[in-house]
Amino acid sequence: MPPRIAAIRLVSSHREVYEPCDDSFALVDALLADRTNLIEHNPKICMEIGCGSGYVITSLILLLQNEVPGVHYLAIDTNPIATRVTKETLEAHGVNADVICADLATGLEKRLAGSVDVIVVNPPYVPTPEYEVGMEGIASAWAGGENGRTVIDKILPVVDLLLSEKGWFYLVTLTSNFPAEICLMMRKKGYASRIVVQRSTEEENLVILKFWRDKDEESQDKETSSSSFVSQFSKSLSSLMEKQWR
C-alpha cells in the first residue's frame, strides 16, 4: 500500500484561507520522497509554520503516524480562520496536532528553542509590493514583498533558533526568490542544503529545499566564494529542470 496523505475531499476550506495548490502538493511530494529518511530520523517534535488549510501538516502526520510513535505535532498560522480550518482538516482525517494562532512561532521560541526536529514551511513567496505583506485575510498567504523574500528572510532566523541539533527544515521557494542565495545564507549559519523537489508549472518554477545542521559546513574552506556556491547551485537546478522536461 502506498503511504497515505491528506485527502483533498476531506480538507476544509474557507474563502479567506489558501487552498492546497501546486506548491502544497510539491511540498508534500518532498516529504513523500524523504519519508524513509524521516522515519529513520525518528523526530519527536514536528512543526508547520503557516498551516493554512492543514493539508501539509495532516499529510506529514499520516506519513509518519504508523512508523514513528509519540511525535508531538504543531501547526501555526497568523490567520485565525486558518487555524480553525486546519483543526477541521485534522479532525476529518482522525489525527491530532496543537494548532496555534501566532506570527512566525512568536511566543514559542524560548520554550521550543533547539527542540524541533522537523519544520515545514510554505511561506508567502510571491513577489509583491511591500505594503501587501502581512495584510489580513488570504492575501497574507502569498504576498512576499520584494523578490518574494520579505517573509522568508524573517522565517530563517526563527527556524535557526527552533531547530534541534539534528533538525531538518523543508522550505518552498520560487526561482524568483533566488533560492541559491537562501542556501548561501543558511550555509553561513552552518547548514547544508539540497533540492528535494523541483517542479515547473504554467505559472511558476517551484524549488523545495531541505536544510540541516552540518558541522562540516562550518569548517569549509573560507576561500570558497559566494559566486562559486551560487554557480554550483544554479547548475544543479538547471540539471533538474532539464530532466523534468525530457
Side-chain angles (χ1 to χ4, degrees):
M1 292 291 291
R4 185 185 172 202
I5 60 174
I8 294 298
R9 63 183 177 81
L10 296 179
V11 175
S12 186
S13 63
H14 188 281
R15 66 179 181 276
E16 293 298 330
V17 176
Y18 187 73
E19 295 185 356
C21 199
D22 291 326
D23 49 1
S24 314
F25 303 145
L27 179 52
V28 169
D29 283 349
L31 298 174
L32 272 167
D34 224 21
R35 179 172 179 262
T36 299
N37 293 326
L38 281 164
I39 291 169
E40 294 177 354
H41 191 54
N42 193 31
K44 297 305 179 186
I45 301 178
C46 296
M47 172 188 292
E48 180 179 15
I49 299 177
C51 54
S53 68
Y55 172 76
V56 174
I57 190 65
T58 301
S59 294
L60 178 59
I61 297 171
L62 293 171
L63 285 172
L64 298 182
Q65 67 174 357
N66 293 329
E67 305 291 341
V68 188
V71 183
H72 190 158
Y73 296 95
L74 295 162
I76 298 168
D77 204 291
T78 187
N79 181 353
I81 302 175
T83 59
R84 189 190 77 205
V85 169
T86 290
K87 289 178 182 178
E88 292 170 352
T89 297
L90 291 163
E91 183 178 349
H93 288 84
V95 295
N96 297 292
D98 286 339
V99 185
I100 302 166
C101 186
D103 182 23
L104 304 183
T106 298
L108 298 175
E109 297 101 321
K110 291 184 179 180
R111 186 164 25 137
L112 294 175
S115 62
V116 184
D117 297 319
V118 176
I119 297 178
V120 294
V121 184
N122 183 6
Y125 56 65
V126 177
T128 64
E130 284 295 325
Y131 70 83
E132 293 186 14
V133 176
M135 294 179 67
E136 292 185 2
I138 195 169
S140 65
W142 67 68
E146 185 178 357
N147 297 325
R149 286 280 296 277
T150 298
V151 179
I152 290 174
D153 289 346
K154 290 179 180 178
I155 287 173
L156 298 182
V158 174
V159 167
D160 183 39
L161 180 62
L162 292 173
L163 275 180
S164 67
E165 283 301 310
K166 72 170 191 176
W168 292 352
F169 169 39
Y170 297 84
L171 176 69
V172 179
T173 67
L174 291 178
T175 51
S176 57
N177 300 146
F178 302 106
E181 291 185 2
I182 296 172
C183 291
L184 183 59
M185 290 171 62
M186 293 296 281
R187 180 171 177 261
K188 291 177 179 178
K189 292 178 179 291
Y191 288 84
S193 61
R194 71 178 178 91
I195 300 170
V196 186
V197 168
Q198 186 282 325
R199 185 158 301 159
S200 296
T201 70
E202 293 182 358
E203 298 181 351
E204 54 193 11
N205 292 313
L206 294 161
V207 182
I208 314 302
L209 302 171
K210 176 184 177 181
F211 299 91
W212 64 97
R213 298 185 191 277
D214 190 343
K215 293 181 180 179
D216 291 338
E217 291 288 309
E218 298 175 359
S219 60
Q220 283 187 9
D221 186 348
K222 298 299 182 181
E223 295 182 1
T224 301
S225 68
S226 299
S227 59
S228 174
F229 179 87
V230 172
S231 176
Q232 292 174 10
F233 182 94
S234 298
K235 288 179 180 178
S236 297
L237 181 57
S238 296
S239 177
L240 284 172
M241 294 178 72
E242 287 176 6
K243 290 180 181 178
Q244 178 179 337
W245 289 107
R246 285 177 183 171

